[in-house]
């Protein structure tokens, strides 16, 4: 029987993380590296990517990266080829890149709808397909999609309406289940993480206005803290979750339980 340490050991594994240069994506990447994985990070801007690569290398992590618009199929293919060249293979894919736009449903601009869906859902699809082909050829791998509780529940009474974000994250959950069903017998596990509110660039303005109100509705009485996502991602990527696929782990302090 494997030991607990060996179940969570990612030494010798490689991981590609979209949106991995800062915020929650950088936290997830750091957790994978701390468990032993070599990293390839993707970001939209060099000013976000380069400092994170330097910081991770200073910590002794094997870390590479490149710029990529996850909604552009040609850029996705180029980024995956670059990861292949640097790492030799891709064992773990974390689809984390995401954007949002707030507007009432009756006022949502079509171009903003398309932008959010293209990044959050189509980007997840493009990377899953491109990396999935390689995982099928090598005999397996683990994909972790970052969804949101916005894909599970509506926002009655919330200050901001996010119809495109909610739809895209619900789509990520459906895609997770479908890929898990199709690829499970071919060695690929596909799971999702659905965070609640965590401090990030995406949520900072909203939390400035409504954090106390939100926390009053959460059983644990607070928003998420730094470090509370990295363990979940390492778990799903590792052999500790070897019999788990097609599932969503909700990390929201109990918000969707009430």
């Amino acid at each position: 029987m494997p030991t607990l340490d060996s179940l969570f050991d990612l030494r010798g594994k490689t991981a590609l993380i979209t949106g991995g240069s800062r915020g929650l994506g950088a936290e997830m990447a750091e957790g994978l590296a701390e468990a032993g994985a070599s990293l390839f990070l993707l970001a939209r801007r060099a000013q976000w990517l380069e400092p994170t690569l330097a910081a991770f290398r200073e910590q002794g992590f094997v870390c590479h990266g490149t710029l990529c618009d996850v909604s552009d199929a040609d850029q996705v293919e180029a980024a995956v080829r670059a990861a292949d060249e640097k790492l030799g293979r891709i064992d773990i894919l974390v689809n984390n890149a995401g954007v949002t736009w707030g507007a009432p449903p009756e006022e949502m601009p079509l171009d903003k709808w398309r932008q959010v869906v293209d990044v959050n859902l189509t980007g997840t699809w493009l990377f899953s397909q491109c990396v999935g082909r390689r995982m099928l050829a090598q005999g397996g791998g683990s994909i972790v999609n970052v969804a949101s509780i916005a894909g599970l529940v509506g926002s009655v009474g919330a200050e901001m309406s996010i119809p495109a974000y909610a739809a895209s994250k619900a789509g990520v959950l459906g895609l997770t289940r479908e890929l898990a069903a199709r690829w499970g017998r071919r060695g690929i596990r596909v799971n999702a993480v659905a965070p609640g509110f965590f401090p990030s660039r995406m949520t900072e303005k909203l939390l400035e206005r409504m954090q106390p109100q939100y926390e009053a509705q959460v059983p644990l009485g607070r928003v998420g803290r730094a470090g509370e996502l990295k363990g979940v991602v390492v778990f799903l990527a590792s052999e500790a979750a070897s019999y788990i696929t097609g599932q969503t782990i909700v990390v929201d302090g109990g918000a969707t339980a009430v």
Side-chain angles (χ1 to χ4, degrees), residues 16 18 40-46 49 65-84 90 93 97 118-119 122-123 126-128 130-131 134:
L16 187 157
T18 72
F40 198 92
L41 308 183
L42 301 180
R44 286 183 293 143
R45 299 178 186 174
L49 179 62
T66 193
L67 302 181
C68 182
D69 176 352
V70 302
S71 67
D72 185 306
D74 291 337
Q75 291 190 39
V76 169
E77 181 62 43
V80 173
R81 282 200 307 270
D84 260 341
I90 301 171
L93 167 64
D118 282 351
V119 171
T122 304
L126 290 173
F127 268 97
S128 296
C130 193
V131 174
R134 288 159 169 81

Side-chain angles (χ1 to χ4, degrees), residues 31 57 62 66 76 86 127 178 183 222 238:
R57 288 165 182 161
V62 176
T66 193
V76 169
K86 287 292 186 181
F127 268 97
E178 178 65 10
W183 287 344
R222 60 177 176 82
S238 72

Side-chain angles (χ1 to χ4, degrees), residues 110-162:
L110 182 57
D111 63 327
K112 296 303 181 182
W113 170 277
R114 286 173 170 160
Q115 178 187 6
V116 172
V117 172
D118 282 351
V119 171
N120 296 0
L121 181 54
T122 304
T124 296
W125 160 246
L126 290 173
F127 268 97
S128 296
Q129 183 183 53
C130 193
V131 174
R133 289 173 179 145
R134 288 159 169 81
M135 288 180 172
L136 290 170
Q138 72 196 22
S142 176
I143 298 175
V144 180
N145 295 324
V146 179
S148 167
I149 62 170
L152 294 167
V153 296
S155 56
V156 175
E159 181 176 325
M160 182 181 296
S161 178
I162 46 174

Side-chain angles (χ1 to χ4, degrees), residues 28-258:
M28 297 171 197
E30 182 179 59
L32 294 168
E34 288 172 344
S38 299
L39 304 179
F40 198 92
L41 308 183
L42 301 180
R44 286 183 293 143
R45 299 178 186 174
Q47 63 263 39
W48 301 341
L49 179 62
E50 296 301 330
T52 303
L53 292 176
F56 280 0
R57 288 165 182 161
E58 287 180 5
Q59 294 180 64
F61 302 152
V62 176
C63 188
H64 308 281
T66 193
L67 302 181
C68 182
D69 176 352
V70 302
S71 67
D72 185 306
D74 291 337
Q75 291 190 39
V76 169
E77 181 62 43
V80 173
R81 282 200 307 270
D84 260 341
E85 291 170 4
K86 287 292 186 181
L87 302 178
R89 59 185 280 137
I90 301 171
D91 298 301
I92 301 159
L93 167 64
V94 180
N95 282 309
N96 170 69
V99 297
T100 191
W101 186 267
E106 66 273 18
E107 298 174 11
M108 183 77 187
L110 182 57
D111 63 327
K112 296 303 181 182
W113 170 277
R114 286 173 170 160
Q115 178 187 6
V116 172
V117 172
D118 282 351
V119 171
N120 296 0
L121 181 54
T122 304
T124 296
W125 160 246
L126 290 173
F127 268 97
S128 296
Q129 183 183 53
C130 193
V131 174
R133 289 173 179 145
R134 288 159 169 81
M135 288 180 172
L136 290 170
Q138 72 196 22
S142 176
I143 298 175
V144 180
N145 295 324
V146 179
S148 167
I149 62 170
L152 294 167
V153 296
S155 56
V156 175
E159 181 176 325
M160 182 181 296
S161 178
I162 46 174
Y165 185 80
S168 68
K169 292 302 185 178
V172 167
L173 297 177
L175 180 61
T176 297
R177 292 189 293 269
E178 178 65 10
L179 294 181
R182 301 303 301 182
W183 287 344
R185 296 191 181 186
R186 302 175 71 182
I188 301 176
R189 295 185 300 103
V190 188
N191 292 290
V193 177
F197 272 101
F198 280 75
S200 70
R201 181 173 175 269
M202 185 182 294
T203 64
E204 61 183 352
K205 297 299 183 183
L206 191 59
L207 288 178
E208 284 176 5
R209 299 192 300 270
M210 60 162 287
Q211 185 168 339
Q213 298 95 304
Y214 176 77
E215 290 180 335
Q217 302 172 37
V218 177
L220 291 187
R222 60 177 176 82
V223 298
R225 295 172 179 160
E228 292 186 321
L229 281 174
K230 66 163 65 174
V232 179
V233 172
V234 169
F235 167 65
L236 290 175
S238 72
E239 285 301 304
S242 60
Y243 198 50
I244 298 175
T245 196
Q247 303 304 306
T248 299
I249 296 182
V250 180
V251 188
D252 68 349
T256 55
V258 296

